[in-house]
Amino acid sequence: AGSKGARGEVAREGGRMSVHDLRRVVKQISPHPLFSSKWFAMLGSLQHMTDTAVHEQKASATEEGPTGSGTVLATLWERNELTIRYLLEEGKLNLCLRLMIDFKEMQRQEMFAQALAAAKAEQPQHTFDDLPTIKVKAALYEQCLGMLLSCAFSNVESLQTLDMPALFEHMGKTLTFSLTHPEMVRSPDADRRQEVLTLHYLAEIFLKIEGLQEDRILDLVSEHNVVNLLLDNVTIYFNEYSVPTKEQACMALSGIFATEEYQSSPDRFLATKEDKKKLVNLDNTVFKEQFPDYASKKKVRPLLDAASKCKYQI
């Protein structure tokens, strides 16, 4: 599933979408007012688009290069990830990020009821769903946008065109919010919520840091206190994360600690003894269990080395 068919179709869960229809729904992504009739219509298209992107990404993970060597094709333009390619070509990737940022800001400010009242006042003839149904659709909107961004961030080409300052500000606010709202991390759909997906976003960024502007990104990590927010979230929620999220959280931290910027100025990111204690405490508990042997330790060596150095500084 997820590949382009002979008749110009792409597979998605529950059916097929023509390439023409896929590009059309990508073009139709717009900043419609939350809970307006146009917003609900866009949500249906967004769901189809996200299903397609996820299936395409799974197919690309096993797609071979032209030599049949078994290696994954190198660039987005070589792989058959049409959804993400169209997002970039139509200039919609940063719009998707902005839609997510605006949605989460409204959620944090508890403005959904206000948004619904505004939508009803604007469209008095429109029949709206009841509030429980609307809440379900709001959660679906976050999940679809979040997974679409996750698929996009697995490609360095997407990250190279992304509004990184906006993303890091969003991730900083999200990781701060999650510390006082455990229901976001403990919900059944947590793996598709921003409070968890942010860990995956960070892991992807640092996996591809060589193709990005490292100094600029580390400035943003410092500005938004990302290292300490990661340590706090991992300390509180690690045992509740899914197995993939546990790995991604550790990979995100290890990716930061592997950079030249961290190596040359570690105190810029772990400024106090208390900051360093957080990392050491995780090393004494979580990391020892998560990485019990040489092979597993090798994947996060910069993380373990950073923790070892901190032990001598507290």
Side-chain angles (χ1 to χ4, degrees):
S3 59
K4 183 178 175 181
R7 294 173 297 176
E9 296 175 324
V10 287
R12 62 176 174 85
E13 190 173 353
R16 301 185 76 83
M17 178 185 288
S18 73
V19 172
H20 172 77
D21 285 344
L22 178 59
R23 190 180 281 276
R24 177 179 54 81
V25 297
V26 168
K27 286 183 176 181
Q28 289 175 347
I29 300 174
S30 297
H32 299 300
L34 193 65
F35 304 141
S36 64
S37 59
K38 288 184 178 180
W39 181 88
F40 283 113
M42 184 177 72
L43 174 58
S45 297
L46 188 63
Q47 189 173 7
H48 294 323
M49 196 188 318
T50 302
D51 288 344
T52 303
V54 170
H55 279 266
E56 287 174 338
Q57 186 182 58
K58 287 177 180 177
S60 288
T62 56
E63 202 170 53
E64 291 188 353
T67 61
S69 62
T71 57
V72 175
L73 293 170
T75 72
L76 175 62
W77 315 112
E78 291 175 287
R79 296 193 300 277
N80 198 33
E81 295 183 48
L82 296 182
T83 308
I84 304 307
R85 192 187 308 175
Y86 291 167
L87 276 179
L88 266 63
E89 290 176 352
E90 300 297 335
K92 297 292 186 177
L93 179 60
N94 280 312
L95 174 59
C96 287
L97 174 60
R98 174 49 56 189
L99 292 176
M100 176 63 82
I101 290 169
D102 291 346
F103 176 84
K104 293 299 285 185
E105 194 62 39
M106 293 186 76
Q107 183 185 68
R108 287 191 290 266
Q109 300 297 325
E110 300 182 352
M111 294 176 63
F112 285 172
Q114 182 179 331
L116 180 59
K120 288 181 175 180
E122 184 69 23
Q123 296 181 287
Q125 305 304 319
H126 183 72
T127 302
F128 287 84
D129 293 322
D130 58 25
L131 191 57
T133 302
I134 287 175
K135 286 182 177 180
V136 169
K137 290 185 177 180
L140 180 62
Y141 179 73
E142 176 183 343
Q143 293 165 26
C144 288
L145 266 182
M147 289 303 297
L148 192 61
L149 290 171
S150 184
C151 289
F153 295 170
S154 68
N155 299 281
V156 71
E157 297 89 348
S158 299
L159 294 172
Q160 288 168 341
T161 66
L162 197 66
D163 184 347
M164 283 290 180
L167 175 63
F168 271 86
E169 181 179 3
H170 164 67
M171 292 192 295
K173 288 181 177 180
T174 299
L175 291 173
T176 300
F177 185 73
S178 64
L179 293 174
T180 54
H181 292 79
E183 71 278 6
M184 295 297 192
V185 179
R186 293 169 179 161
S187 67
D189 60 353
D191 279 354
R192 287 181 170 233
R193 287 183 181 268
Q194 287 298 281
E195 288 74 17
V196 170
L197 277 176
T198 289
L199 305 176
H200 295 252
Y201 297 167
L202 285 163
E204 286 290 355
I205 289 169
F206 284 96
L207 184 64
K208 297 170 175 62
I209 194 67
E210 288 186 3
L212 305 173
Q213 292 179 278
E214 180 183 307
D215 55 347
R216 174 169 167 257
I217 288 174
L218 269 292
D219 284 345
L220 294 169
V221 169
S222 175
E223 178 183 348
H224 297 289
N225 199 28
V226 169
V227 172
N228 275 292
L229 288 170
L230 270 174
L231 293 174
D232 287 339
N233 274 269
V234 170
T235 298
I236 295 172
Y237 299 123
F238 192 83
N239 290 331
E240 299 176 62
Y241 289 151
S242 65
V243 171
T245 298
K246 287 179 179 180
E247 181 174 338
Q248 293 294 287
C250 293
M251 293 300 291
L253 283 164
S254 193
I256 294 170
F257 295 145
T259 61
E260 290 182 15
E261 189 66 27
Y262 176 82
Q263 296 290 330
S264 62
S265 306
D267 288 347
R268 183 181 174 200
F269 304 94
L270 294 171
T272 69
K273 284 189 176 183
E274 288 304 312
D275 296 339
K276 295 177 173 69
K277 280 182 181 178
K278 295 176 191 176
L279 181 57
V280 171
N281 288 339
L282 284 171
D283 188 44
N284 291 334
T285 54
V286 167
F287 300 158
K288 286 190 183 301
E289 183 178 335
Q290 186 73 9
F291 310 109
D293 52 43
Y294 175 78
S296 60
K297 286 183 171 71
K298 189 176 179 181
K299 293 192 296 183
V300 290
R301 177 52 58 193
L303 169 61
L304 301 180
D305 287 348
S308 295
K309 289 178 182 177
C310 285
K311 287 178 183 178
Y312 298 102
Q313 299 171 1
I314 59 175

